[in-house]
Amino acid sequence: MSRLAFRAAAAVVGVALLAAYLTAALFVADLLRAAWAARPDLPVLLALLAAGALGSAYLSYRLGTAQILANIERDRVPRERAPDLHRRIDSLAARMDVARPDLYVTDARAPNAFAVGGGSDGGALVIDRSLFRLLSPREIEAILAHELAHLETNDGFAIAMADGIGRSLVGFATVLALPALLALSGLAAASAWIRGRPGDRSGPFARLHRTLAGGLFAGFVLATLVSRSRSRKREFAADDRAAEVTGDPMALARALRRIERAAEPTWPFAPFSTHKRTDEPAERWLSTHPSTDERVERLREMAESQGPTRRIPAGPSRSSGGRGSSWR
């Protein structure tokens, strides 16, 4: 095929692409105009949008909570199997503004404990069995207090709602920008073909498309960073509340340090593991938890400000099962 014939064929393809993309852009724009023309009054419209965003976030939270519990193999711990552990949870729940949660144990890949749900139904506490071998009873109690603090302020629900609303706003902006994205994409592809360079995306239309798409992506990243920042603040708040309720900040500090060390990989190629902790700023910004060093330092300062440890009894039973007791 001669160069002239190739350029003619490329121009035909470019025009066809432009027509297809512009047709799609006009179709989406017509749908948006029709939706805008049929809109209710502005207050009602804003209320509907807010209700949609809140409803979507709430549904995502409820489904996510149910999925978490469904995806882990867990065993409910009856009171007669671990009476001392239940008494500790009862005592902590009584001192905090939280309904008594259900207690489960699981076998995870790493030592961990987390709370799901909350509110009037009490939620659930899930504890990995390895923690009962790794931590002392006092440290176990500090971890339980930390997780109950999350249930007390319903952190999971609040963070999920904030995250869902942020994503809904970005999604709404993306829908509004879709006609422009389609038109710019068509113009960029058509101009490249007409110039005889089908793979070239350095033209002005391609740059405008990347700028618009990048702005939308930046909005998504910003919403994620705000949500993660709030999550880290709630972790600090839960640490403070656990230290206040137990009167023993260092018990929680020791527990966090033990869990961190136990979770670190020990195989020969551990330096190349994706699970190895790093000090990359992006990792810190995207993390849902502050670093263990930060948390332990705050707890140490809190303990020093209190003077001698103010130990609050866990409950009516002073017997201790010790490590590896009937809690398992």
Side-chain angles (χ1 to χ4, degrees):
M1 179 184 292
S2 67
R3 181 174 179 81
L4 181 60
F6 171 76
R7 291 294 299 270
V12 171
V13 172
V15 172
L17 284 173
L18 180 60
Y21 274 98
L22 289 181
T23 299
L26 289 173
F27 176 74
V28 174
D30 286 340
L31 288 179
L32 292 175
R33 279 197 298 268
W36 179 254
R39 73 188 185 281
D41 294 336
L42 183 59
V44 177
L45 177 62
L46 293 177
L48 289 175
L49 291 176
L54 290 173
S56 174
Y58 179 77
L59 182 62
S60 176
Y61 165 74
R62 297 300 297 182
L63 292 177
T65 299
Q67 187 176 14
I68 288 173
L69 291 176
N71 287 345
I72 60 173
E73 296 182 2
R74 68 195 191 281
D75 297 318
R76 186 186 291 269
V77 182
R79 185 173 292 273
E80 58 272 14
R81 183 178 168 189
D84 190 70
L85 180 60
H86 276 276
R87 278 193 293 268
R88 290 174 183 271
I89 296 176
D90 289 340
S91 178
L92 289 170
R95 285 185 241 135
M96 305 169 76
D97 186 18
V98 59
R100 176 62 160 78
D102 296 325
L103 178 63
Y104 298 93
V105 294
T106 187
D107 293 301
R109 295 182 179 180
N112 192 19
F114 60 91
V116 295
S120 58
D121 62 355
L125 278 176
V126 183
I127 307 173
D128 183 65
R129 297 179 198 273
S130 65
L131 289 185
F132 299 121
R133 299 188 298 271
L134 184 67
L135 306 180
S136 69
R138 183 174 293 189
E139 292 161 357
I140 286 285
E141 183 185 346
I143 291 295
L144 293 174
H146 173 91
E147 298 305 331
L148 287 173
H150 284 307
L151 295 179
E152 184 179 34
T153 52
N154 219 350
D155 286 341
F157 175 75
I159 292 172
M161 292 296 288
D163 185 58
I165 291 172
R167 291 173 186 269
S168 295
L169 292 175
V170 175
F172 183 67
T174 302
V175 170
L176 293 180
L178 187 56
L181 287 171
L182 288 171
L184 289 172
S185 183
L187 289 168
S191 64
W193 276 92
I194 291 172
R195 286 184 285 113
R197 300 175 180 178
D200 184 15
R201 292 295 184 270
S202 60
F205 297 117
R207 290 195 295 270
L208 285 173
H209 182 275
R210 286 195 296 269
T211 300
L212 181 55
L216 294 170
F217 180 72
F220 172 79
V221 171
L222 179 60
T224 301
L225 291 176
V226 170
S227 174
R228 298 299 171 86
S229 174
R230 177 173 175 79
S231 178
R232 292 192 295 273
K233 289 179 181 178
R234 296 315 306 163
E235 288 299 322
F236 283 136
D239 286 349
D240 294 344
R241 181 62 169 148
E244 175 190 354
V245 171
T246 62
D248 192 356
M250 291 309 300
L252 181 56
R254 290 192 303 270
L256 293 173
R257 190 63 78 189
R258 288 180 189 272
I259 291 172
E260 179 191 47
R261 289 170 179 167
E264 288 180 350
T266 56
W267 56 86
F269 297 103
F272 303 101
S273 169
T274 58
H275 299 286
K276 188 173 179 62
R277 183 168 52 113
T278 70
D279 294 323
E280 292 293 332
E283 180 179 325
R284 294 199 302 270
W285 294 337
L286 293 173
S287 176
T288 58
H289 286 59
S291 70
T292 301
D293 291 341
E294 288 182 273
R295 298 173 68 183
V296 168
E297 183 61 30
R298 291 180 77 256
L299 291 166
R300 180 176 289 113
E301 291 174 358
M302 190 180 305
E304 291 174 353
S305 67
Q306 290 179 355
T309 300
R310 180 178 58 88
R311 172 65 181 160
I312 299 177
S317 171
R318 298 301 298 154
S319 62
S320 171
R323 299 186 190 182
S325 69
S326 61
W327 295 352
R328 291 179 289 175

